[in-house]
Amino acid sequence: MTASPNIPSFAIADYVIFSLLLAVSAGIGIFHALTGGRQKTTHEFLMANRNMNPAPVAMSLTVSFMSAITILGTPAEHYVYGSMYSLFGISYTLVMICAAELYMPVFYHLRLTSAYEYLEIRFNSKLIRIMGAITFMCQMVLYMGIAIYAPSLALNAVTGFTLWGSVLTCGLVCTFYTTIGGMKAVLWTDVFQLGVMIAGFLAVIIQGSINVGGWGKVMEICEEGGRIEFDNFSFDPTVRHSFWSICIGEIGRASCRERV
């Protein structure tokens, strides 16, 4: 499967930048594998010795919420169904505050490594801990399949890479730096990738606005297409997005997810 003839393929400069992105990510893993405690203890590998600065941790958590599914799907959702989807920002903000104030202090004071360790302590059952971990693993296997397939499909569209080549390239590099660099490598790689994503977002927004005649023209087109909407308070359950389903329903759903 090759790139469409109507879509420009990568030039040499594009391939160089893409290769540097992968090389820097792998390099961060190598750096943390060779420095500090060299990831010889479980405490360092899984918990980064519990001494990371809050800034990279916060940025890494932000990146963990933005998979390729989010980056590719959110603009499409807004384009097709309007801007009500933006209200998810309100519900996620409230959920993160609840998680930080209610759940995290419990985990922190108990010095837990994972939520499944808490399940074992709470219910005094190793079986429940194992079942919780297996359930999460099954969920993540299904989720990661889509999360890796989405950027691979995008790479295939603009570069001509085969889907399997893209999947293996992204998957192997991520597995490599995570395996040898531990949590520190994951955190700092996320920080680096957040910078790349923000640069990409700004480039698309700025250049796209220029192409159509400015930000005012963009908003005018959205208004004409009926895509600007923030006040849908309908109680109709068949409505795709309303204030109640997003700000209230999502708080309940995401809170349960944060607890797990």
Side-chain angles (χ1 to χ4, degrees), residues 5 36 95 121 242 250:
V95 167
I121 295 173
S242 70
E250 180 63 15

Side-chain angles (χ1 to χ4, degrees), residues 59-190:
M59 287 187 278
S60 178
L61 288 172
T62 301
V63 172
S64 70
F65 276 91
M66 293 192 297
S67 69
I69 301 172
T70 305
I71 294 172
L72 296 177
T74 300
E77 181 73 24
H78 280 78
Y79 180 81
V80 176
Y81 298 104
S83 58
M84 281 296 296
Y85 191 85
S86 300
L87 296 183
F88 273 103
I90 298 175
S91 58
Y92 279 140
T93 299
L94 295 176
V95 167
M96 286 187 284
I97 292 173
C98 290
E101 295 298 325
L102 299 178
Y103 308 138
M104 291 309 298
V106 175
F107 289 174
Y108 181 80
H109 291 303
L110 291 175
R111 311 294 287 180
L112 300 178
T113 303
S114 70
Y116 314 108
E117 189 176 355
Y118 173 78
L119 289 177
E120 181 180 3
I121 295 173
R122 172 65 177 80
F123 297 101
N124 193 30
S125 172
K126 188 86 170 181
L127 177 61
I128 291 180
R129 176 179 179 174
I130 294 173
M131 291 176 61
I134 291 176
T135 301
F136 180 74
M137 290 171 61
C138 292
Q139 175 197 348
M140 291 309 296
V141 167
L142 297 174
Y143 168 79
M144 288 306 298
I146 301 174
I148 294 178
Y149 176 77
S152 298
L153 191 64
L155 281 173
N156 171 262
V158 300
T159 68
F161 285 168
T162 63
L163 283 176
W164 275 110
S166 301
V167 167
L168 290 175
T169 300
C170 297
L172 288 176
V173 171
C174 293
T175 302
F176 174 75
Y177 70 70
T178 301
T179 302
I180 68 171
M183 184 57 69
K184 289 182 180 178
V186 172
L187 291 173
W188 285 113
T189 302
D190 283 346

